[in-house]
Amino acid sequence: MSPVREKFIKIIEALPYDIQEEIHNKKTFDILKDVTKMYCDTYGTDDLSDEDKDVINDVLGNNFTAIQNM
């Protein structure tokens, strides 16, 4: 398994809620934002491709720009 995939799995497991239960109460896009932001906050983006960073920017918008500037 790739290191990035392993990191995403760890982030999903570390969510403050059970993703299987929350999927019925929360919009999928909001869960994606939670996972993406938590990944960036925890691991940064140095190991991601420019294409991956573009996708993250689409998901997080201004929040991603703030993360990159930290």
Side-chain angles (χ1 to χ4, degrees):
M1 188 177 328
S2 78
V4 172
R5 184 177 299 164
E6 288 178 29
K7 290 176 182 177
F8 268 106
I9 290 170
K10 287 180 183 178
I11 290 300
I12 291 168
E13 291 171 344
L15 285 171
Y17 51 82
D18 182 338
I19 198 168
Q20 293 298 327
E21 291 178 20
E22 200 62 31
I23 199 79
H24 301 289
N25 303 319
K26 219 172 183 181
K27 292 181 181 179
T28 304
F29 190 71
D30 290 335
I31 294 172
L32 176 61
K33 281 190 206 176
D34 291 345
V35 171
T36 304
K37 182 166 182 346
M38 199 168 170
Y39 181 95
C40 292
D41 289 346
T42 304
Y43 298 112
T45 59
D46 292 340
D47 59 344
L48 301 177
S49 70
D50 288 338
E51 185 177 334
D52 291 337
K53 291 176 186 177
D54 288 342
V55 171
I56 289 172
N57 190 49
D58 289 343
V59 171
L60 295 180
N62 291 336
N63 290 331
F64 179 62
T65 304
I67 291 168
Q68 282 190 308
N69 292 330
M70 293 178 107

